[in-house]
Amino acid sequence: MEKKNVVVLDYGSGNVRSAVRALEAAGASVELTADPEKVMNADGLVVPGVGAYASVMEQLTKIGALRWIGRRIAGGQPVLGICVGHQVFFEEGVEHGVKTAGIGEWPGKVERLQSDVIPHMGWNTVQPPEGSKLFAGVENERFYFVHSYAVQKWEFDVTQPAMTPPQVTWSTHGSPFIAAVENGPLSAVQFHPEKSGEAGAQLLRNWLGTL
């Protein structure tokens, strides 16, 4: 079987090497780049994200990536967001009282988790919906999280009857929060599959299998 060609978007986010290695181990041919042509032509695009919501949005905007990401999604070309790269697909992020507009593919606000223990760091279970492709075979596994902020309400209204509503996976730390969304060509996970051992490796293989 021919290897899928995946681009990990290189926009200055920290610690992307582990994502590159994990995708390679899952069987993809991987390139870390911000070359627009390679970003647009890859079988799959991974948007990693570490640190603050505002700085990730600023860096993505600076290199012109919002347009490429938007064009890929509009054209049905797969995109996978990880951690803050998951959060930026929602409407806005609020950190330390500062609101930052996100990409806005989904309604919702990224806010501080309602918990006495922040950050949420370590292994946690998830509750994927019936028929999830990303979590096939790893529905009951634990994944590795490191975050203080998350989307805690799902406010998506299906306006067109023909539209398939996104599949939402939840997890809980203090209160429920969104751990993953699968929405046509766009998937995003709050946890780090590249740090989640065999469960994370299977999830990446599942994603590669959809490309």
Side-chain angles (χ1 to χ4, degrees), residues 27-90:
S29 162
V30 188
E31 193 169 359
L32 179 63
T33 179
D35 178 314
E37 202 171 313
K38 288 177 175 172
V39 168
M40 291 310 302
N41 292 328
D43 296 322
L45 173 67
V46 174
V47 181
V50 175
Y53 189 101
S55 70
V56 168
M57 276 306 295
E58 188 186 340
Q59 288 166 301
L60 287 172
T61 305
K62 199 158 85 181
I63 66 162
L66 301 186
R67 196 172 68 247
W68 315 331
I69 291 167
R71 278 174 55 195
R72 280 191 66 96
I73 294 167
Q77 295 173 280
V79 176
L80 174 67
I82 295 176
C83 197
V84 184
H86 151 88
Q87 296 177 357
V88 293
F89 284 106
F90 289 88

Side-chain angles (χ1 to χ4, degrees), residues 179-203:
V181 182
E182 297 166 68
N183 183 196
L186 177 58
S187 299
V189 295
Q190 176 62 69
F191 52 85
H192 287 274
E194 76 280 10
K195 296 177 184 169
S196 297
E198 180 47 41
Q202 183 59 51
L203 181 130

Side-chain angles (χ1 to χ4, degrees), residues 171-182:
S171 186
T172 303
H173 180 73
S175 61
F177 67 88
I178 294 174
V181 182
E182 297 166 68

